[in-house]
Amino acid sequence: MKKKKTLYLGLLSLCLLAVLLFAAPVKAQAAAFRQCSRNTKVGKYYIWTDYESNTVRISSSKSGNGTVLVNAAPGRTLNTGCISNGSTVYYIESGPYNADYSYTGYINRVKTDGKGRVTVGTLKNASSPTAYYKGILYMDVYDKEPGPELHTYRMDTKTGKSKRAIKYACVREQNGPYLLAQPNSGAIGPLDTYIYNCKNGKTVRLTKNGGIAVFISKKVYYSEYTKGGGGPDSVLRVRSCSPSGKGKKTIVRAIKAEWLERITSRYVYYRKMNERTSQWTYYRYDIKKKKAKKISADTYNKQVQG
């Protein structure tokens, strides 16, 4: 009887221990910040800047005009672009132009319920926020005056202190502490393509002849011109590497095209124009089979434009 009682108490203790372990609070991982747009859902919301009404708008639906999350402050203009993690939004307002066409950018933060609006800092010629990592906000900043050339600056959202992070390049995508950046020249290519490490502040240039670049799972996929520079005789290859820029590997050796428009882990999408008829032909290249297949314009647009 004593032995049975001891066994019972032992089992009861194990059960209580298990309950305590599974009931212990688990620290939730913070949601990642993403660049917002009218067609991009971040958490529960679609969030976007509306230049005409000078507002940041929010909606739980993909259609409609949403509601006003915040109005630009009096005397300021709301800049295009904002970023959010679904609960917090960063956006930038510009003050009046100075004689040299420069302006003061006001970097702001607000909750998606409209509360807690605050200016975290100011920065000359700040354009739009592009990324966020552990208290540091990254943003496009015009060069000496509003014009074509942009740099990426970083700002500590607690102190408001800022400095340049990447010269003559804008953040295109973020994956954890890694940022993909390219110049905003408007050219199809070739482009300098960089990876910036938010942890150590170091920049690695992947290529001088880049096209598109994307994060796919735990890798970077990017196109690189091996011939030409966006003309009819251009040839591109597709390469992959780790987010730190190491372990470069060629996964598609040669595609004859002016540019590539989308890369996935399975396919590469591109199109060619018939110079005689000015008609486009659309292709999907199978990376595993190493073969290209013609596809319809509708199928192509759905895959490329979403």
Side-chain angles (χ1 to χ4, degrees):
M1 188 74 178
K2 186 177 181 181
K3 187 180 286 186
K4 286 184 178 180
K5 187 176 180 180
T6 303
L7 179 61
Y8 171 78
L9 290 172
L11 288 171
L12 182 62
S13 298
L14 286 172
C15 289
L16 288 171
L17 180 61
V19 169
L20 289 171
L21 286 172
F22 284 106
V26 178
K27 188 177 181 181
Q29 187 174 2
F33 276 81
R34 297 176 61 192
Q35 295 182 20
C36 300
S37 75
R38 183 62 187 92
N39 298 317
T40 303
K41 193 171 188 178
V42 184
K44 299 179 181 179
Y45 305 106
Y46 296 89
I47 305 165
W48 69 99
T49 53
D50 184 71
Y51 183 78
E52 290 185 2
S53 63
N54 216 19
T55 60
V56 178
R57 308 190 75 84
I58 188 168
S59 174
S60 58
S61 171
K62 195 173 183 179
S63 60
N65 200 32
T67 59
V68 174
L69 176 63
V70 66
N71 288 283
R76 299 179 191 171
T77 301
L78 191 71
N79 292 359
T80 302
C82 58
I83 65 168
S84 177
N85 63 351
S87 61
T88 299
V89 181
Y90 283 94
Y91 65 98
I92 298 177
E93 299 168 329
S94 58
Y97 284 109
N98 300 314
D100 61 355
Y101 297 104
S102 66
Y103 63 86
T104 298
Y106 296 85
I107 294 82
N108 303 301
R109 179 178 64 224
V110 67
K111 295 292 184 181
T112 50
D113 61 3
K115 298 178 181 179
R117 174 175 172 169
V118 64
T119 297
V120 299
T122 60
L123 181 61
K124 181 180 177 181
N125 295 339
S127 176
S128 59
T130 56
Y132 178 95
Y133 183 75
K134 291 189 175 181
I136 304 298
L137 182 70
Y138 296 84
M139 67 196 94
D140 291 341
V141 177
Y142 286 109
D143 195 25
K144 295 179 180 179
E145 60 185 52
E149 295 179 329
L150 290 165
H151 307 287
T152 292
Y153 273 67
R154 50 173 287 166
M155 174 177 284
D156 188 316
T157 56
K158 290 184 179 179
T159 65
K161 293 181 179 179
S162 61
K163 67 176 182 179
R164 189 172 66 192
I166 316 170
K167 188 176 181 179
Y168 295 124
C170 305
V171 175
R172 303 301 187 196
E173 278 197 38
Q174 178 176 5
N175 188 343
Y178 298 103
L179 310 178
L180 274 173
Q182 290 180 321
N184 69 312
S185 64
I188 296 168
L191 297 170
D192 286 312
T193 303
Y194 304 97
I195 294 178
Y196 178 85
N197 188 331
C198 298
K199 289 183 177 179
N200 58 26
K202 292 183 179 180
T203 303
V204 174
R205 183 165 61 187
L206 291 179
T207 177
K208 295 180 180 180
N209 301 304
I212 58 173
V214 292
F215 287 111
I216 300 176
S217 187
K218 296 182 179 180
K219 290 185 178 181
V220 177
Y221 285 66
Y222 62 98
S223 62
E224 184 175 50
Y225 286 90
T226 57
K227 180 183 177 182
D233 63 339
S234 297
V235 179
L236 301 102
R237 64 180 177 179
V238 178
R239 309 196 79 190
S240 67
C241 65
S242 71
S244 64
K246 296 179 180 179
K248 291 181 181 179
K249 180 182 178 182
T250 300
I251 57 176
V252 178
R253 294 195 174 280
I255 293 179
K256 294 181 180 179
E258 294 180 23
W259 68 89
L260 308 183
E261 289 198 79
R262 188 186 178 200
I263 301 172
T264 73
S265 59
R266 293 184 62 189
Y267 302 113
V268 179
Y269 294 86
Y270 63 98
R271 56 181 168 169
K272 292 182 178 181
M273 177 180 280
N274 185 310
E275 293 185 358
R276 184 175 59 84
T277 63
S278 297
Q279 297 294 314
W280 290 105
T281 303
Y282 301 88
Y283 297 90
R284 181 180 67 197
Y285 182 93
D286 190 306
I287 295 173
K288 188 176 181 180
K289 295 179 179 179
K290 299 181 180 180
K291 290 183 179 180
K293 178 182 177 180
K294 291 182 182 179
I295 58 176
S296 69
D298 286 343
T299 299
Y300 185 88
N301 289 331
K302 285 179 182 178
Q303 292 297 322
V304 171
Q305 298 174 8

